[in-house]
Amino acid sequence: LFQKPLRNGRYSAGIEKELGLYDGEIRFTDKKIGEFFKELRRRNLYKDAFIIVTADHGEQFRERGHQGHGDRLYAEETHIPLIIKNGESHLEVREIVSNIDIFPTIFDAAHISIPADTLAIPLRDGRRLRKRSGVISESFQKYYHKALITGEGKKIIMDFGSPFRPEDQDFERTMATARIEGLFDLDRDPLEQAPLKDERLANDLRKELETILRLALRQRKGTQKGRIPEKTLEELKSLGYLK
């Protein structure tokens, strides 16, 4: 289905072949999801099912010289699907949202109280979504980047140069030395191909990102150490998450 050359001529022949394989994987996944829904209907489970279809990330195909995922915060990695089925009503959320909003959306649908100390917002709460100053995304693999997208569609990507560990670093110095990787207006440039040179906007977004990070840091939760079963470690290695 996906072996013909792309019309835009943007990619090399090798990358186009990999894109065809990737699109084939998407098509396969779409088919299997359809089969799953069909089976739910056959068992009379679909109507009352609460279903979420989303992704953890997109994929780079050397649009900016990189390939793969997990190290950049441009649209090709961070703009992912989020489709939720709950009942028969239809609602398109136009505000900027994050995958952290999934858990309070589930709580809201199940009539479970949502923790007060969270930056996440249930997707049915349009008033709070409209008041939100923005959402952040982060990358900690090859590069140490953080990005902010505002409700007005402005986006900044910042390079922190080294791991962002607020517990053993000076927060103000870390923010001051971070370098701007990209500045965009997503309403006019959704594919992030035309970086802006707007110092005032950059400073405003930088301050907003700092404000949200401070809020997030105050809400950090402690973790407990534990032993990971060998089988789980092997599965993580097979998926490429461990070496």
Side-chain angles (χ1 to χ4, degrees):
L1 288 174
F2 304 101
Q3 291 304 306
K4 294 181 180 179
L6 297 173
R7 284 195 291 264
N8 62 18
R10 182 181 178 188
Y11 299 96
S12 68
I15 294 295
E16 283 195 351
K17 183 176 181 180
E18 294 194 22
L19 274 166
L21 294 172
Y22 187 69
D23 288 342
E25 291 179 342
I26 295 171
R27 177 67 176 81
F28 173 82
T29 302
D30 182 71
K31 180 174 182 290
K32 291 302 178 182
I33 290 174
E35 292 174 0
F36 176 61
F37 289 173
K38 184 178 180 180
E39 181 64 16
L40 288 179
R41 288 190 176 96
R42 189 185 71 81
R43 299 184 182 209
N44 295 319
L45 296 172
Y46 183 82
K47 182 178 180 181
D48 294 328
F50 185 86
I51 300 171
I52 300 171
V53 179
T54 188
D56 50 351
H57 53 73
E59 196 81 3
Q60 303 173 75
F61 287 96
R62 304 199 71 80
E63 290 87 354
R64 302 166 212 273
H66 295 257
Q67 191 166 352
H69 61 259
D71 59 10
R72 312 286 275 185
L73 295 174
Y74 291 101
E76 49 266 24
E77 280 214 53
T78 62
H79 189 191
I80 60 173
L82 177 55
I83 304 167
I84 298 176
K85 176 210 165 292
N86 182 22
E88 301 297 329
S89 61
H90 295 265
L91 171 67
E92 183 176 4
V93 177
R94 304 294 300 177
E95 288 76 30
I96 186 73
V97 302
S98 166
N99 55 10
I100 67 168
D101 298 325
I102 293 174
F103 95 82
T105 301
I106 295 172
F107 278 31
D108 180 50
H111 305 291
I112 299 172
S113 60
I114 299 167
D117 60 343
T118 177
L119 297 174
I121 300 173
L123 297 186
R124 289 202 308 175
D125 195 338
R127 182 185 62 83
R128 286 182 63 200
L129 288 174
R130 286 188 290 273
K131 289 177 64 177
R132 171 188 260 168
S133 56
V135 299
I136 62 173
S137 52
E138 302 172 295
S139 175
F140 290 96
Q141 290 191 12
K142 188 174 180 180
Y143 300 94
Y144 297 94
H145 290 177
K146 293 181 184 293
L148 168 74
I149 302 178
T150 70
E152 291 75 39
K154 304 300 188 292
K155 179 175 180 178
I156 189 170
I157 304 173
M158 298 194 66
D159 181 357
F160 285 82
S162 61
F164 182 84
R165 295 192 182 97
E167 62 271 17
D168 55 20
Q169 290 178 237
D170 182 285
F171 184 87
E172 281 74 16
R173 183 176 180 277
T174 300
M175 289 300 304
T177 56
R179 182 180 64 84
I180 294 176
E181 169 79 11
L183 185 69
F184 304 97
D185 183 341
L186 301 185
D187 288 342
R188 297 182 179 181
D189 179 29
L191 298 181
E192 300 168 12
Q193 297 295 305
L196 302 175
K197 296 185 183 300
D198 186 328
E199 191 171 337
R200 177 180 293 180
L201 176 63
N203 287 333
D204 288 346
L205 295 186
R206 193 180 191 121
K207 290 176 183 176
E208 192 58 50
L209 175 61
E210 181 176 346
T211 298
I212 294 176
L213 285 175
R214 286 185 183 278
L215 283 171
L217 290 172
R218 286 205 295 267
Q219 296 170 4
R220 296 176 81 201
K221 306 295 183 183
T223 58
Q224 293 180 338
K225 291 185 178 181
R227 186 178 179 278
I228 300 175
E230 194 64 32
K231 182 180 178 182
T232 302
L233 290 173
E234 289 302 319
E235 289 174 348
L236 289 170
K237 288 177 182 177
S238 72
L239 293 169
Y241 291 111
L242 294 177
K243 294 182 179 179

